[in-house]
Amino acid sequence: MNLFAYLSDPANWQGPDGIWNLLLQHLGYTVAAVGIAAVIAIPLGIFIGHTGRGSFLLIGLSNAARAIPTLGLLVLVVLLLGTGTGPIIGVLAILALPPILTATAAGVRGADHEAVHAARAIGMSARQVVSKVEWPLALPLVISGLRSSTLQVVATATVAAYSSGEGLGRLLITGNATRNYSEMFAGAFMVAVLAIVLDLLLGGLGWLASRHASPGRRVRPVGRMISEPTGTPLNLVG
Amino acid sequence: MNLDWAWIQRELPMIGSLLVEHIVLAVLPVLIALIVSLPLGFLVSKMRRATNIVLAFLGVIYSIPSLALFVMMPLILGTKILNPANIVVALAIYSVALLVRSVVDGLRSVSPAVKQSASAVGYGWGRRLLRIELPLAMPVIFAGLRVVTVSNIALVSVAVLVGSGALGKLFDLGFSSFFYTPIIVALILMLALSLIFDALILLIQRGTLPWLRKQPA
Amino acid sequence: MKIKQSLVGVGLGIAALLLSACGGNSNPLGEASSSQPAQSGSASAAGAPVVVGSADFTESKILAEIYSQAMKAKGVDSSTKLGIGSREIYIKALQDGSISAVPEYTGNLLLNFDANATATTAEEVEKSLPAVLPPGLKLLKSSPAVDQDVYVVTKDFSAKNGITSLEDLKKIASTSSLGGPPELEKRAYGPPGLEKIYGAKFKEFRPYAKYPPKISDLDANKIQVATFFTTDAVISEKGYVQLKDPQSMILPQNVIPLVRSDVADNANAVAALDAVQAALTTDDLVQLDKKVDSEHQDPAQVAGEWLKSKGLA
């Protein structure tokens, strides 16, 4: 049985149900959801990290978010609100929030204290401290949060096909229904490739940000924040 | 959205058996992963240069969405797609990927001063590992255990897309006819399981690491 | 350098994944218990257990339960395997022995094996069936109970566009979407039939594995035409307009058991099923479907209650 039969047939790549289109849908969901989440979570995270207020929210938030069965949420949303892309992206964005929020807050809060004190000492205003000192120092962690979030969304978007029929997950579901393992494998393979590529891209971005944040220092590639000094893992993957 | 209590009562046996299946599918991988990750993590932490290679390798595995892994497991294991072993092994692999990192970070967090003192007092490396380093690394490892267990409980339900999924089957049932009750029941049960197991692990941590109780949170 | 080490690790990870894809020859989607070889007619004893399979929809599951429990009441060892999948899949299961009986519908069964069948009435359909069946499979007595595929539109859409019959579809098809189960796309009474017989070619076909999204989308006018079954409660609940089929694109669908030859040779099984078929009415189907779909009762339970009410169990 040829595993790559489905992937290697060019007819399967074309058309509205083709692999290419499904891939683009999947990517679209991911970019939209992470984008929306970032727009909300980064400013909020900077605020929490800089002022120290509200940090009690964060630990509980990531633990709670990890426990949500995404399939149940998606099914509920589709039953209640119909099959539009809006509700689905909404759910994905909500799930994408916690990693970005916690990483941003941790990054800003953990910015090198000597640098922050020095900045205050020479008279920088709060906004200048944030934008010129805390943010660049926090950037590697923010990007690592974006990385976790992206993986979470790519994974959840795969499941979303169950309720909305779009994205690469459709190959998995249709393949299962028609007993075509080659099609299922095509779906799994493409999703895995997408996840790995996005992860590596963001990892590279994070590495660049690390170099920018501490030029001259030996740079450790920032992982996906699996354990923090406090021992609270931030990782969220679906 | 009213809950159909009559349905819940009627189907209690089915819900119960799905609940048990769900617990097994979620927790077994964690136990397997713990047994594998402790020695593996120790070895990895000692490798110096190769440590990053291994951690990056595990990172690639961890980035693959769980559903994709469930689908690809039959290829590696030679099983049929409905076989629960697919889920257990896939989640175990996930859990190992995360726990090895926890073990490595935990062991690395033990200060060299402590290790040197232990050696100075006469501990061999084995005794030092078991009685000094590992206990000091445990908070990080326990944190990893909590993450992994809670994640697994949610991830098992995803397998319903390939015909399995334990409590996830209730999502499928509800989605077939605008029937909210099974969906709510499954959500509540899974959240309850997450809370219970998270608390359980925390309790075990408090019990086995008494010196941490006095520390500020 | 740590970056280089990380890249090596990543490379190894990807390599491991690709290598894993090289393993495994057997089809992971094959039936887990298809170890039974295809049995020739006289090979099995009259008391061999009968496994009744069903498709994924409610009525099929209820009928399978009725068949199985009726046989049990007559002393035949029987069990069920519900929700196997679409016809293409459970016919395969029937042929390889993982199930030995399945509730079927005369018209679609005929079209499944002979897409060019010319029969149009219920009698003609039934007469044509035995000739087209693959070897090893037999049909038992049909029932007056009927459940047709039907195309529907919402009341508003029907009034606004004057659509009451499949003939009217060509007026709006090119700008409309059709929704139905995934397997409908290639079936003779699906889009191909609509185009050939009624000249209606839809802008797109949207597959729906489940009813709720299809119902939501129809109500929201995201799709304009959808298929259901005549016994579905949702049609009357929502007041959908069932489109007439003057050219008989959709054949009469009487309920009929499709079984392996050895089951047909089992006198007790046949007696049980014949009695069920004689007692079953279309109204029974409507009521039973409603109990499971709207009242969320258990198919096995309602099957048992129906059999008791008819004195068959």
Side-chain angles (χ1 to χ4, degrees), chain A residues 32-156:
Chain A
V34 174
I36 294 173
V39 160
I40 301 174
I42 291 182
L44 194 55
I46 293 176
F47 175 78
I48 295 180
H50 180 78
T51 62
R53 277 185 244 156
S55 46
F56 63 90
L57 272 176
L58 296 183
I59 308 287
L61 186 64
S62 22
N63 286 339
R66 209 174 285 124
I68 299 177
T70 51
L71 180 61
L73 204 57
L74 286 163
V75 161
L76 215 49
V77 160
V78 169
L79 284 183
L80 288 170
L81 300 176
T83 63
T85 39
I88 305 254
I89 292 185
V91 171
L92 292 174
I94 291 177
L95 291 171
L97 261 174
I100 305 177
L101 186 57
T102 45
T104 306
V108 169
R109 194 181 52 204
D112 189 348
H113 291 159
E114 287 180 9
V116 174
H117 284 165
R120 290 217 177 97
I122 64 172
M124 281 193 184
S125 71
R127 193 194 296 175
Q128 284 174 320
V129 170
V130 168
S131 59
K132 294 200 184 181
V133 181
E134 288 178 331
W135 173 251
L137 290 176
L139 199 53
L141 273 178
V142 172
I143 293 184
S144 110
L146 285 170
R147 210 172 150 191
S148 289
S149 179
T150 302
L151 287 184
Q152 166 80 312
V153 174
V154 168
T156 311

Side-chain angles (χ1 to χ4, degrees), chain A residues 3 63-64 66-76 78-80 151 154-155 158-159 161-164 169 172-173 176 181 184-185 187-189 191-192 195-196 199-200 220-221 223-224 226-229 231-238, chain B residues 1 52 59-60 62-69 71-75 81 94 97-98 101-102 105 108 139-140 143-144 146-147 150-151 154-155 157-158 160-163 168 171-175 178-180 183-184 186-187 190-191 194 198:
Chain A
L3 206 59
N63 286 339
R66 209 174 285 124
I68 299 177
T70 51
L71 180 61
L73 204 57
L74 286 163
V75 161
L76 215 49
V78 169
L79 284 183
L80 288 170
L151 287 184
V154 168
T158 314
V159 173
Y162 175 75
S163 47
S164 74
L172 281 163
I173 296 172
N176 197 32
Y181 189 72
M184 286 185 88
F185 179 76
F189 184 78
V191 165
I196 294 175
D199 190 50
L200 290 179
R220 268 197 323 128
R224 256 173 276 115
I226 295 189
S227 41
E228 254 199 352
T232 312
L234 293 183
N235 227 2
L236 285 180
V237 174
Chain B
M1 202 195 300
N52 278 337
V60 169
Y62 199 55
S63 64
I64 301 174
S66 58
L67 193 51
L69 214 53
V71 170
M72 298 202 277
M73 268 302 117
L75 293 175
I81 203 132
Y94 252 19
L98 188 111
R101 179 122 214 182
S102 294
D105 285 343
R108 275 187 182 163
V140 176
R146 287 165 66 193
V147 171
V150 168
S151 294
L155 288 179
S157 67
V158 167
V160 76
L161 270 76
V162 292
F171 293 146
D172 186 70
L173 182 59
F175 193 52
F178 279 116
F179 189 23
Y180 294 99
I183 301 175
I184 308 280
L187 279 172
M190 280 191 241
L191 289 173
S194 296
D198 192 63

